[in-house]
Amino acid sequence: MTSGPGGNSGATDEGVTGAPGGNSGATVMERRGWPKSKWVEMAAVVLVLLLTAVPVGWCGREDFTGALTFTGRMTGAALMVVALIMFLGIAAVVDYWVRGPISNLGVVALFSTGVALLANALLLIQTWSDGERAIFPMLFGSLTVGSILAIVVVWRALDEIPAPKRVAAALIVSTILGIGNFSYQNLYQPYRRGAKPLVHLTVGKAVLNRDGKAFAVPVDIKLENHSDVGFYVLGTEFHAMGERAPVSKSDRLYRQWRIDAERWGKYREKLPLTRRDVYQPGQLVAAQPWIAPGNWIEANDEAVARTVVQLPIDTPYDHLAFYATANIARKDRLGLGRLEQDQYSWRGAKLPKWAQEKGGGDSIVYRFDMKENNAIDRHTRKPRCVTIYWRFNVHGVDVAESITRKGEENRVNTAIEDSDARERYGLIDVLAGPIEQTLWEIKSRR
């Protein structure tokens, strides 16, 4: 009889002490929103933050130390701050999951996951629209989804959010700053009003030599950059064309003008339609580069060169026409590396179809390594090179450039690809001429 009550009493005590204790623990777990696999969730949140912080911090460091513009370096600094927030978020997540409600770092964990979501979403947009490696949109797309889930997990784990208005304000400000910087870098800068240097040609007076059997014409060439950005010089050329233009004794017929106009599509020179002058296609008498490929001109600077064109006094030409061009690229859009090679068409250099002269001729080929102007594009786009073709024949000279992926130098770009490359990298062709000078006065001194 005594054992029964004792047993009953023991059983009752066990039920009283055990059940309430178990119910209390379950209630706390349910209230805090922690599932039984809380440590797996913690590891998942930490992994999302870590996989986001490492590439963001790496690209930020590269841009901060090597971006081509001040804005790019400030973007690098911002990316490094974002990465630091996420590293602090990792510590906050671990601390909150281990210590529970007594930790006051839950809000830091929530804020860091929000920053991770913003960073991954912006990187997904950029790599999807501008990248060329499929792995990066897949990576940042997965991290974007992971960041959303991480926010949900951390939100459920919090008992309450202290100062929710301040947390919301911090998230909103971070979002505005991130979107603003992204828009400035990817929307405003590429399409803002472009700068364009000028090439000036100044032709001096022809001068006879001592024995009167030859003469020389001095020519000054100046590249002026009045903009606030620097430019790489991809290629330059100066050339002089000798023109024969005998005067007809009678007016030329209208159909002869048509014949002259048809020549405009065959030669680089556009000879005028005249009533009495019978212009013949010009012939090259002198040509040379006047700035070596790979050099550059800084903002608000100028480069000057002088050359001399010499001819015998009994030259058959009636006029000289002078031309100069400079093919340049903005220094804030690309980085020009070392000269990889220079080749010659007459020694077997391969040329794309568009660079081959229709009427015969030769080309000198320069090829430079190239880098993008920011770390994200350098890692998500395929490496490229800049190829310059210095082309010449008896009817003139010109310079053409092409930006292609490495290994595809001889591939013919589409018109859209060429247009996109010119816009993206700030490619500009600056032309001067023709500057015509008659030779009648100097030849009359014979």
Side-chain angles (χ1 to χ4, degrees), residues 172-214:
I172 292 173
V173 170
S174 301
T175 302
I176 292 174
L177 291 177
I179 295 176
N181 182 74
F182 177 83
S183 301
Y184 182 81
Q185 283 281 93
N186 296 276
L187 299 177
Y188 172 73
Q189 274 200 324
Y191 298 101
R192 70 175 179 173
R193 183 178 180 181
K196 184 175 182 179
L198 300 174
V199 172
H200 294 283
L201 267 177
T202 304
V203 180
K205 187 176 181 181
V207 179
L208 280 172
N209 66 352
R210 291 184 179 181
D211 60 10
K213 295 182 179 181

Side-chain angles (χ1 to χ4, degrees), residues 85 88-93 104-114 154 158:
I85 291 174
L88 293 176
I90 292 174
V93 168
N104 56 1
L105 296 181
V107 175
V108 177
L110 180 62
F111 179 75
S112 65
T113 53
V154 175
L158 289 175

Side-chain angles (χ1 to χ4, degrees), residues 199-203 219-222 236-243 264 267-272 279-290 307 309 319-326 390 395-399 430-437:
V199 172
H200 294 283
L201 267 177
T202 304
V203 180
V219 181
D220 291 327
I221 315 167
K222 181 187 292 187
T236 59
E237 64 83 16
F238 161 80
H239 70 279
M241 303 293 291
E243 299 174 346
W264 291 350
Y267 305 105
R268 298 191 184 99
E269 285 188 293
K270 309 304 179 188
L271 300 175
Y279 277 91
Q280 303 297 321
Q283 295 181 322
L284 184 67
V285 298
Q288 68 180 82
W290 48 281
T307 187
V309 177
H319 308 288
L320 286 179
F322 301 94
Y323 300 81
T325 63
W390 205 89
H395 296 297
V397 179
D398 75 348
V399 180
V430 188
L431 311 177
I435 305 296
E436 298 273 351
Q437 185 174 83

Side-chain angles (χ1 to χ4, degrees), residues 50-341:
L50 184 62
L51 290 179
T52 305
V54 170
V56 168
W58 185 271
C59 292
R61 184 189 63 83
E62 287 190 6
D63 277 342
F64 184 70
T65 58
L68 302 181
T69 62
F70 175 76
T71 306
R73 298 197 177 220
M74 292 301 295
T75 300
L79 291 176
M80 292 173 66
V81 171
V82 168
L84 178 61
I85 291 174
M86 284 183 282
F87 280 122
L88 293 176
I90 292 174
V93 168
V94 174
D95 180 82
Y96 191 78
W97 249 254
V98 172
R99 298 174 60 195
I102 63 173
S103 172
N104 56 1
L105 296 181
V107 175
V108 177
L110 180 62
F111 179 75
S112 65
T113 53
V115 171
L117 173 60
L118 175 62
N120 285 317
L122 294 179
L123 289 172
L124 173 61
I125 294 172
Q126 181 165 349
T127 55
W128 180 270
S129 62
D130 212 24
E132 295 175 335
R133 302 178 189 271
I135 187 174
F136 288 102
M138 294 173 60
L139 171 63
F140 292 116
S142 300
L143 289 175
T144 300
V145 175
S147 300
I148 295 174
L149 296 177
I151 292 175
V152 173
V153 170
V154 175
W155 183 280
R156 290 177 59 221
L158 289 175
D159 284 326
E160 61 177 355
I161 301 178
K165 292 184 178 180
R166 294 182 181 179
V167 175
L171 288 173
I172 292 173
V173 170
S174 301
T175 302
I176 292 174
L177 291 177
I179 295 176
N181 182 74
F182 177 83
S183 301
Y184 182 81
Q185 283 281 93
N186 296 276
L187 299 177
Y188 172 73
Q189 274 200 324
Y191 298 101
R192 70 175 179 173
R193 183 178 180 181
K196 184 175 182 179
L198 300 174
V199 172
H200 294 283
L201 267 177
T202 304
V203 180
K205 187 176 181 181
V207 179
L208 280 172
N209 66 352
R210 291 184 179 181
D211 60 10
K213 295 182 179 181
F215 65 93
V217 180
V219 181
D220 291 327
I221 315 167
K222 181 187 292 187
L223 176 62
E224 294 183 350
N225 179 20
H226 296 299
S227 67
D228 58 351
V229 296
F231 288 86
Y232 283 110
V233 177
L234 304 180
T236 59
E237 64 83 16
F238 161 80
H239 70 279
M241 303 293 291
E243 299 174 346
R244 299 184 185 185
V247 178
S248 174
K249 294 181 179 180
S250 59
D251 287 350
R252 303 175 68 223
L253 300 177
Y254 186 80
R255 66 172 177 268
Q256 292 175 312
W257 288 5
R258 294 175 178 174
I259 296 174
D260 292 342
E262 290 175 356
R263 290 176 178 171
W264 291 350
K266 299 179 181 179
Y267 305 105
R268 298 191 184 99
E269 285 188 293
K270 309 304 179 188
L271 300 175
L273 306 179
T274 63
R275 190 171 293 274
R276 288 294 182 96
D277 296 335
V278 184
Y279 277 91
Q280 303 297 321
Q283 295 181 322
L284 184 67
V285 298
Q288 68 180 82
W290 48 281
I291 299 179
N295 283 303
W296 60 85
I297 180 171
E298 297 293 352
N300 298 304
D301 197 5
E302 63 182 30
V304 180
R306 167 170 283 194
T307 187
V308 175
V309 177
Q310 300 185 67
L311 288 173
I313 194 66
D314 60 350
T315 179
Y317 303 119
D318 298 297
H319 308 288
L320 286 179
F322 301 94
Y323 300 81
T325 63
N327 293 36
I328 57 180
R330 289 177 58 143
K331 287 184 69 178
D332 61 342
R333 303 282 183 87
L334 60 81
L336 205 61
R338 60 182 177 83
L339 176 64
E340 290 187 348
Q341 56 184 328

